[in-house]
Amino acid sequence: AKTKDSVFKKLTRVVVGKSTVDDDVLDELEEVLISSDVGVDTTLKIIDRIQKRVADDKFLGASELNRILKEEIAGLLKESNKGDYEAFSIPKSDYPYVIMVVGVNGVGKTTTIGKLAYQFKKAGKKVTLGAADTFRAAAVDQLIIWSERVGVPIVDQGMGADPASVAFETLTQAKANGSDVVIIDTAGRLHNKINLMNELSKIKRVMDRVVPGAPHEILLVLDGSTGQNAFEQAKQFTLATEVNALAITKLDGTAKGGVVIGVSDQFKVPVKYIGIGEGMEDLQVFNRTEFVDSLFN
Amino acid sequence: MFENLNERLERSFQILKGQGKITEINVAETLKDVRRALLDADVNFNIAKSFTNTVKEKALGQNVLTALKPNQLMVKIVHDELAELMGSTQVDINLQGKPAVILIAGLQGSGKTTFSGKLANLLKTKRSKNPLLVACDVYRPAAIDQLKVLGEQIGVPVFADIDSKNPVKIAQDAIKQAKANGNDLVIVDTAGRLAIDEEMMKEIEAVKKAIEPSEILFVVDSMTGQDAVNTAKEFNDRLDFDGVVLTKLDGDTRGGAALSIRSIVNKPIKFVGTGEKMEALDVFHPSRMADRILGMGDIVSLVERA
Ligand SMILES: Nc1nc2c(ncn2[C@@H]2O[C@H](COP(=O)(O)OP(=O)(O)OP(=O)(O)O)[C@@H](O)[C@H]2O)c(=O)[nH]1
Ligand SMILES: Nc1nc2c(ncn2[C@@H]2O[C@H](COP(=O)(O)OP(=O)(O)OP(=O)(O)O)[C@@H](O)[C@H]2O)c(=O)[nH]1
Ligand SMILES: [Mg+2]
Ligand SMILES: [Mg+2]
């Protein structure tokens, strides 16, 4: 929480006057990590790594400990993030580059799409949106408003339409109008609902028929305030759609989004974007160092 | 995760087994696993800690009754303690007032608008109320349309003013209209807001002050992690809400946030959301929730096998 002492302050307090990292320090560290939703397994993994390094390096003061701590956490993220992404770029070879956005209910999929469209447009790309959430009340209207706000075309077939058909039509039109980027919105769904997850696989499959290889990016949106359930979300959405990128939203709040460290590590999926507000510009490319810093501030 | 927990508990229960009295030593392993289960379920770190301490105090030195094995006794203590914390009695909502006014608040995307529709539907069909839904979210794209669609689905009128950016005035006007049209219940949907967004928190305080609701419900996503305590505390400090609504329980989250919120603000959980449809609303069952948080269904059956 924002009112809490920073981890470093706390850690410094427990480390002061000690020549080694003892149980007090590790307990304190455990509290900080778990309170950031890092989860027990990942926390133990981090503590384990630190203990190993401490054993190697023998003496450790507070500042060294801080540095090692950050390095170890960043290391976990690095293993699945090959390098931090360049700002809103797309691979040159794939046109149109198709992004399908998935996730459980209310995490911020539609809003993230609006923000992405804004960034891609700003970067000079031609963007088309597809309104394949035809289920949630006024979902199509919501995406239409975003498309107007950003000034990009949208393909919709109204509420109740078959989402796979909307995706098919969107890609067809995007190809015809020479779009660089297509972003497909999908209805929020809980990952334990088999029928809805199968529907998602179907929406995905249909796209390949219009643009071979599409969707190129399957972006799983995770709410930054979600706890350990994010693991199950990542697992099930990956099974249904081969998720290959993550976005974490609502990091402008007090939640730290620490669960993403373990999720990214376990599923070897990079975190690409973070949402930091409800406005069009409130999306950033994920920066590992900043993210790790924010856990401790 | 469940299998692991089971295995571990089975192991620690083995340790307890066959010992006539619960002692510091034979309880330690079990408590560690209980704490682990709570943290995996997203119970707040400090609350998990104090909970296991309480359980330990209750357990220590207890003579194991002839009918119960030590492990069974531990499970019983953990379960009872948790269920009690969750709230032992069900608390109804306050529908006093002409019209009765219910204010809905919470973070972005928690399920406020959907719940507003569900509650209107429930009170209309089960309690013969004549509700009016009020669209006070003037920010989110298509928020008003969303509430209108839901209102249409359940046959409940929706008050909205698309030209207004003033939720206080919209809520006041809605109540005037409710009085004129004979609606005996007004449910006010509001925009999602972060607890640290000072301007937005002031706004909802102002709405509360202007309409004096008989009931304020705080809507929270059951998948929420450790931050649940901060948010609940902040909303409660600002609004002194009357009850909590836990949404999206049709998922597979263990829902430890429920316990955290319960213990930090001491307000009853009144409803749970179990789906996207307008009928998917349930009253809250404390004991079931306690079982869910601990994966107790599994543990209880484990004890039965023991
Ligand atoms: N504070 C904050 N709010 C956000 C952020 N991203 C989205 N939101 C808000 O979260 C709420 C839900 O966002 P949506 O984009 O509708 O979420 P969704 O995943 O499309 O929801 P469904 O389609 O209903 O499953 C809205 O009120 C958004 O304004 C963010 O980064 N920060
Ligand atoms: N599965 C499931 N989905 C739910 C439940 N309650 C709400 N939802 C879904 O969660 C998403 C967000 O719900 P909303 O009612 O729009 O949430 P909100 O709090 O009004 O969102 P904002 O107004 O943007 O802050 C939608 O996709 C809903 O259909 C529930 O109990 N179960
Ligand atoms: Mg959406
Ligand atoms: Mg809403």
Side-chain angles (χ1 to χ4, degrees):
Chain A
K2 304 245 148 142
T3 51
K4 271 194 190 160
D5 280 354
S6 83
V7 181
F8 290 136
K9 239 195 238 158
K10 276 186 158 183
L11 284 179
T12 306
R13 209 158 48 219
V14 279
V15 168
V16 158
K18 291 174 183 164
S19 55
T20 51
V21 175
D22 64 6
D23 286 350
D24 281 353
V25 178
L26 295 178
D27 281 353
E28 191 68 32
L29 182 56
E30 183 195 18
E31 172 172 1
V32 168
L33 292 174
I34 290 191
S35 300
S36 306
D37 289 316
V38 169
V40 179
D41 279 335
T42 313
T43 296
L44 292 177
K45 194 168 175 175
I46 292 168
I47 289 183
D48 200 44
R49 284 174 172 220
I50 289 185
Q51 274 177 317
K52 283 212 179 81
R53 290 213 20 196
V54 168
D56 291 345
D57 297 3
K58 298 283 185 295
F59 176 84
L60 256 187
S63 67
E64 286 143 289
L65 178 66
N66 292 342
R67 181 177 49 77
I68 289 178
L69 179 55
K70 282 191 183 178
E71 274 172 20
E72 290 301 337
I73 298 174
L76 280 180
L77 281 164
K78 190 175 185 176
E79 283 156 23
S80 42
N81 283 264
K82 282 180 217 83
D84 287 340
Y85 286 87
E86 276 180 48
F88 306 103
S89 64
I90 51 169
K92 279 217 166 58
S93 53
D94 304 312
Y95 284 102
Y97 185 73
V98 180
I99 305 171
M100 176 184 184
V101 180
V102 302
V104 299
N105 307 81
V107 288
K109 294 176 292 299
T110 308
T111 309
T112 301
I113 291 170
K115 295 170 180 176
L116 276 173
Y118 168 77
Q119 291 292 348
F120 283 123
K121 190 184 177 203
K122 214 169 80 172
K125 304 279 186 285
K126 193 164 179 208
V127 186
T128 299
L129 303 181
D133 178 358
T134 62
F135 178 72
R136 212 223 50 231
V140 173
D141 289 332
Q142 186 186 358
L143 195 66
I144 289 175
I145 293 175
W146 273 107
S147 82
E148 285 164 357
R149 203 178 262 184
V150 177
V152 295
I154 180 170
V155 176
D156 85 85
Q157 297 178 346
M159 293 300 295
D162 171 25
S165 152
V166 178
F168 188 91
E169 174 71 15
T170 308
L171 266 59
T172 309
Q173 288 200 28
K175 233 166 99 175
N177 73 18
S179 287
D180 305 304
V181 185
V182 180
I183 316 175
I184 305 287
D185 192 13
T186 63
R189 66 201 73 218
L190 293 176
H191 49 279
N192 58 341
K193 310 217 161 153
I194 294 159
N195 290 342
L196 295 178
M197 295 308 277
N198 287 342
E199 180 195 78
L200 211 53
S201 312
K202 184 184 160 202
I203 302 171
K204 178 191 168 236
R205 272 198 310 273
V206 138
M207 297 190 215
D208 181 62
R209 284 198 260 144
V210 194
V211 177
H216 309 93
E217 182 170 321
I218 296 166
L219 181 68
L220 173 67
V221 180
L222 297 173
D223 185 322
S225 61
T226 304
Q228 300 308 299
N229 193 248
F231 279 99
E232 214 45 45
Q233 294 174 25
K235 183 174 170 196
Q236 300 305 334
F237 277 97
T238 300
L239 280 174
T241 63
E242 299 163 70
V243 169
N244 57 11
L246 301 172
I248 330 160
T249 60
K250 309 183 192 175
L251 286 184
D252 45 327
T254 39
K256 301 289 195 183
V259 71
V260 79
I261 297 170
V263 169
S264 177
D265 181 45
Q266 183 173 332
F267 298 95
K268 303 295 168 223
V269 184
V271 188
K272 239 177 145 169
Y273 305 108
I274 62 165
I276 48 159
E278 298 185 74
M280 194 149 67
E281 303 183 2
D282 295 327
L283 186 74
Q284 291 177 355
V285 171
F286 178 73
N287 178 302
R288 207 182 341 153
T289 316
E290 279 173 20
F291 180 78
V292 174
D293 280 346
S294 78
L295 286 181
F296 295 106
N297 290 331
Chain B
M1 219 179 255
F2 278 13
E3 290 75 25
N4 271 336
L5 178 67
N6 267 355
E7 273 168 30
R8 278 202 319 265
L9 282 177
E10 196 137 19
R11 216 183 324 113
S12 61
F13 285 154
Q14 292 301 336
I15 298 171
L16 279 180
K17 223 178 205 172
Q19 304 183 30
K21 209 175 202 176
I22 293 178
T23 67
E24 187 102 27
I25 294 164
N26 65 17
V27 86
E29 185 106 355
T30 307
L31 284 175
K32 228 173 107 189
D33 285 328
V34 168
R35 176 174 171 272
R36 169 73 196 249
L38 294 174
L39 292 178
D40 282 344
D42 294 318
V43 172
N44 171 267
F45 183 88
N46 293 314
I47 291 166
K49 202 176 192 174
S50 60
F51 179 81
T52 41
N53 282 339
T54 313
V55 168
K56 183 171 152 190
E57 275 160 32
K58 295 228 158 134
L60 278 186
Q62 282 217 26
N63 285 312
V64 179
L65 303 170
T66 40
L68 284 175
K69 295 181 180 122
N71 55 347
Q72 291 173 317
L73 182 60
M74 269 305 287
V75 165
K76 190 178 163 352
I77 294 169
V78 170
H79 177 270
D80 290 354
E81 193 59 27
L82 200 52
E84 195 183 309
L85 255 179
M86 299 304 308
S88 28
T89 48
Q90 276 180 21
V91 188
D92 198 12
I93 50 170
N94 181 356
L95 294 175
Q96 304 274 304
K98 286 182 171 159
V101 178
I102 303 179
L103 179 64
I104 312 295
L107 293 181
Q108 286 93 344
S110 55
K112 296 174 296 300
T113 306
T114 308
F115 171 72
S116 300
K118 288 177 181 178
L119 184 63
N121 185 48
L122 180 85
L123 296 176
K124 179 187 164 182
T125 53
K126 298 270 155 65
R127 302 242 201 136
S128 314
K129 291 283 167 190
N130 179 14
L132 176 69
L133 281 163
V134 186
C136 275
D137 180 353
V138 298
Y139 309 100
R140 169 175 165 170
I144 296 173
D145 296 326
Q146 186 186 358
L147 194 65
K148 280 186 175 164
V149 170
L150 298 179
E152 207 155 293
Q153 277 176 22
I154 58 175
V156 168
V158 174
F159 183 93
D161 181 353
I162 42 164
D163 299 319
S164 172
K165 288 279 167 223
N166 182 350
V168 173
K169 173 119 194 326
I170 296 171
Q172 286 170 325
D173 290 349
I175 290 171
K176 266 183 223 146
Q177 185 188 300
K179 281 180 181 154
N181 292 357
N183 298 104
D184 52 5
L185 170 66
V186 173
I187 299 174
V188 182
D189 180 28
T190 62
R193 65 201 72 222
L194 294 172
I196 51 166
D197 188 334
E198 190 52 34
E199 205 175 309
M200 289 296 283
M201 292 309 282
K202 277 196 178 129
E203 178 197 84
I204 197 155
E205 279 179 318
V207 172
K208 174 187 173 181
K209 194 156 172 255
I211 61 175
E212 297 176 343
S214 49
E215 179 86 13
I216 303 176
L217 293 173
F218 174 62
V219 179
V220 61
D221 186 324
S222 60
M223 292 175 276
T224 310
Q226 297 286 321
D227 190 52
V229 287
N230 304 327
T231 309
K233 187 173 182 310
E234 201 65 29
F235 270 82
N236 193 48
D237 286 351
R238 303 299 285 255
L239 294 175
D240 188 20
F241 55 70
D242 301 288
V244 178
V245 179
L246 211 55
T247 62
K248 310 179 198 174
L249 264 182
D250 45 326
D252 56 6
T253 182
R254 300 267 287 281
L259 176 64
S260 304
I261 293 172
R262 203 37 247 223
S263 25
I264 208 94
V265 298
N266 198 25
K267 296 284 170 72
I269 298 170
K270 295 194 172 177
F271 295 100
V272 298
T274 56
E276 296 191 69
K277 303 231 169 73
M278 286 296 98
E279 297 74 30
L281 187 65
D282 221 335
V283 290
F284 178 68
H285 300 283
S287 174
R288 263 188 234 168
M289 196 67 218
D291 290 353
R292 180 175 180 139
I293 289 174
L294 269 177
M296 212 58 159
D298 306 348
I299 296 172
V300 169
S301 68
L302 205 150
V303 167
E304 278 161 2
R305 275 192 280 124

